């Protein structure tokens, strides 16, 4: 797959990358070598120019992350992004069918008929198994908790409601987060009306589970309530500190704090002046900007990650900070323009740090369009292929369907995927218009269903039918299947 290089983006080439083991005096984020267990994680290099988003034209760069004007990666120069070597253990989500046992019996009957049809349509079956879809969620399949109607029909067809009765592989790849994968897939199963498995789901911080191999005591921020603590502990982090824990210990640490009695009851206070933090992990959007930014800056300027201290040289003693994604805006059920998201929070932290120190903040960003996220998506797709088709391989024809040109489309384009831009989210272009900076290479569509239909017709033929017919006679080789528009 193509690599993210500055030369591909018409920007000045970055100086030759430093070794990821560079010392802190070289101003790079380094992964602790003595904690590495190479059998369990993969390190993906992140290449970019050495200019950070907190530089002079920070806001222009952040608002115009185009393939022509912006670097391929938003990460600090010389860093690498660890990702898990293989997907997490399977924990399938489920949806109870409305017709109970009768629905299960009908599914078994369909499987038998579908198997017979597929035996007689081997070329189409081969093509169906050689394509896959990667869907963004917000703005493509749903707006918050509200289903986009066309998404239900698209997923139903991919789940087997087609002339072959075959499952066409797809995974969900979102820059959202803040909950465990199990909780989020259960929620999505209800919204979308079909079972979504954790094995086909990647949220922004899912690949960050690999960081548990490197860091023991971490400050984890973002999301609702204390849910990110559960996420981090599920990933294997041994000592997870939530901002509310620190507020419960010393409320004066944040003068504009938002702290309720209920939150105090769930907090885990202790003497944090005696705790050495190894890293800062921003898993999701902050719900308390004032407190979260204050604590981040306190730790970045501290002496080796100890609160209530100030380092003589904050650069050389700075602990690393990781953001789960870099989107500036995202679509919601708000009827106006898209809302600000984690990228805006990151820019604020960068600007504060530079104003206080005079130097750019070295940080690592996961999520789309970072290369590590796509490498991890390959692993998830291969594992999902093995689950549904007993073939652990990567389909050759992968279609990314997204609504955000600055993350979904630029990332898919750079990774060699076919990209489909839809008008149901961030992108609101007129009929016939593509994004001028990050054009989708397969096309622009009114909604996800139209994108899926176009891709399937390209791979399986213009006459491919998008409905299964329970009255099909396999002896007729599928001729009795009724077409659908």
């Amino acid at each position: 797959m193509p690599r993210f290089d500055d030369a591909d983006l018409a920007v000045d080439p970055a100086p030759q990358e430093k070794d990821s083991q560079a010392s802190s005096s070289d101003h790079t984020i380094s992964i602790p070598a003595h904690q590495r267990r190479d059998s369990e994680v993969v390190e993906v290099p992140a290449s970019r120019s050495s200019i950070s988003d907190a530089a002079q034209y920070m806001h222009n760069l952040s608002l115009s992350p185009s393939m022509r004007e912006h670097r391929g990666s938003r990460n600090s120069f010389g860093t690498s992004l660890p990702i898990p070597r293989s997907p997490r253990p399977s924990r399938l989500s489920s949806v109870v069918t409305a017709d109970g046992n009768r629905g299960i019996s009908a599914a078994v009957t369909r499987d038998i008929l579908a198997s017979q049809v597929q035996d007689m349509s081997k070329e189409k079956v081969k093509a169906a198994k050689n394509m896959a879809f990667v869907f963004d969620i917000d703005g493509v399949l749903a707006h918050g908790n509200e289903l986009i109607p066309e998404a239900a029909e698209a997923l139903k067809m991919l789940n087997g409601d087609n002339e072959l009765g075959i499952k066409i592989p797809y995974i969900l790849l979102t820059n959202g987060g803040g909950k465990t994968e199990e909780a989020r897939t259960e929620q999505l199963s209800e919204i979308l009306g079909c079972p979504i498995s954790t094995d086909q789901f990647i949220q922004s911080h899912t690949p960050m589970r690999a960081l548990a191999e490197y860091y023991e005591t971490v400050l984890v921020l973002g999301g609702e309530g204390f849910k990110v603590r559960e996420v981090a502990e599920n990933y294997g982090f041994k000592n997870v500190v939530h901002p509310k824990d620190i507020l419960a210990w010393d409320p004066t640490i944040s003068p504009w704090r938002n702290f309720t009695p209920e939150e105090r009851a769930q907090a885990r206070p202790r003497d944090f002046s005696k705790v050495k933090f190894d890293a800062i992990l921003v898993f999701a959007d902050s719900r308390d900007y004032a407190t979260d930014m204050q604590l981040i800056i306190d730790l970045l300027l501290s002496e080796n990650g100890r609160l209530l201290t100030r380092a003589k040289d904050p650069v050389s003693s700075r602990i690393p900070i990781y953001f789960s994604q870099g989107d500036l805006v995202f679509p919601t059920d708000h009827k106006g323009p898209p809302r600000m998201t984690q990228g805006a929070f990151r820019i604020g932290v960068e600007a504060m740090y530079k104003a206080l120190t005079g130097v750019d903040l070295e940080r690592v960003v996961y999520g789309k369009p970072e290369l590590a996220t796509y490498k991890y998506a390959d692993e998830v797709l291969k594992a999902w292929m093995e689950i549904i088709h007993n073939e652990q391989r990567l389909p050759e024809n992968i279609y990314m369907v997204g609504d955000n040109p600055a993350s979904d489309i630029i990332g898919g384009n750079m990774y060699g995927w076919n990209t489909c831009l839809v008008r149901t989210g961030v992108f609101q272009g007129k009929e016939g218009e593509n994004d001028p900076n990050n054009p989708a290479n397969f096309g622009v569509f009114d909604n996800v269903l139209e994108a899926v239909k176009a891709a399937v017709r390209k791979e399986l033929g213009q006459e491919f039918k998008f409905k299964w017919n329970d009255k099909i006679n396999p002896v007729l080789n599928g001729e009795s299947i009724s077409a659908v528009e």
Side-chain angles (χ1 to χ4, degrees), residues 15-32 36 46 48 50 75-80 215 314-322 353 360-364:
Q16 186 171 350
E17 292 190 10
K18 301 176 185 178
D19 187 344
S20 62
Q21 293 304 301
S23 66
S24 57
S25 61
D26 290 326
H27 301 173
T28 62
I29 299 174
S30 60
I31 299 297
R36 290 180 176 167
R48 58 154 277 184
S50 56
N75 277 315
S76 295
F77 177 70
T79 64
S80 61
Y215 305 116
V315 175
S316 63
S317 62
R318 182 179 58 217
I319 65 173
I321 180 169
Y322 296 83
Y353 183 84
D360 293 331
L361 175 64
E362 294 291 336
R363 74 286 187 277
V364 175

Side-chain angles (χ1 to χ4, degrees), residues 147-285:
L147 172 71
I148 295 175
E150 294 83 1
E153 187 173 347
L155 296 184
K156 186 177 179 181
M157 190 276 293
L158 295 179
N159 284 331
D161 188 15
N162 55 65
E163 70 172 68
L164 296 175
I166 192 171
K167 291 184 178 181
I168 298 176
Y170 68 89
I171 65 172
L172 309 186
L173 179 61
T174 175
N175 271 357
K179 299 179 180 179
T180 64
E181 283 73 16
E182 290 79 8
R184 184 64 171 136
T185 51
E186 182 178 351
Q187 179 187 26
L188 284 170
S189 296
E190 294 181 4
I191 294 172
L192 302 177
C194 64
I196 301 297
S197 166
T198 57
D199 296 288
Q200 63 181 143
F201 176 68
I202 306 171
Q203 51 189 342
S204 60
H205 47 68
T206 304
M208 293 174 70
R209 67 172 52 243
L211 295 173
E213 300 292 332
Y214 306 131
Y215 305 116
E216 184 168 318
T217 301
V218 292
L219 176 67
V220 180
L221 309 98
E224 300 174 0
F226 291 82
K227 293 178 182 178
V228 291
R229 190 206 302 281
E230 181 184 0
V231 173
E233 289 176 344
N234 283 349
Y235 287 171
F237 290 96
K238 295 182 177 63
N239 189 5
V240 180
V241 179
H242 191 278
K244 304 296 185 184
D245 300 338
I246 301 175
L247 279 180
W249 164 64
D250 181 4
T252 67
I253 205 164
S254 174
W256 313 120
R257 60 193 175 276
N258 178 16
F259 196 36
T260 67
E262 293 76 16
E263 290 170 333
R264 181 181 296 277
Q266 297 180 65
R268 302 175 186 173
R270 53 181 149 144
D271 187 353
F272 286 105
S273 66
K274 298 179 180 178
V275 174
K276 181 186 182 304
F277 289 84
D278 300 318
I280 304 166
L281 310 179
V282 183
F283 270 12
D285 288 348

Side-chain angles (χ1 to χ4, degrees), residues 380-457:
V380 173
L381 269 172
K382 285 188 289 186
W384 187 239
M385 275 288 291
E386 184 175 27
I387 289 173
I388 65 173
H389 291 310
N390 199 29
E391 299 178 14
Q392 190 179 38
R393 63 178 180 85
L394 190 65
E396 294 180 7
N397 305 305
I398 300 176
Y399 291 82
M400 173 78 219
V401 184
D403 69 298
N404 191 336
S407 58
D408 302 323
I409 302 306
I410 187 174
N413 285 345
M414 302 285 270
Y415 203 54
W417 288 350
N418 303 294
T419 52
C420 308
L421 184 59
V422 295
R423 298 187 181 90
T424 49
V426 171
F427 180 75
Q428 295 289 318
K430 297 179 181 178
E431 188 73 27
E433 288 183 354
N434 207 329
D435 184 76
N437 293 318
N438 307 296
N441 59 41
F442 187 69
V444 181
F445 303 90
D446 288 336
N447 54 63
V448 63
L449 179 60
E450 294 306 312
V452 167
K453 284 183 174 180
V456 170
R457 285 174 176 146

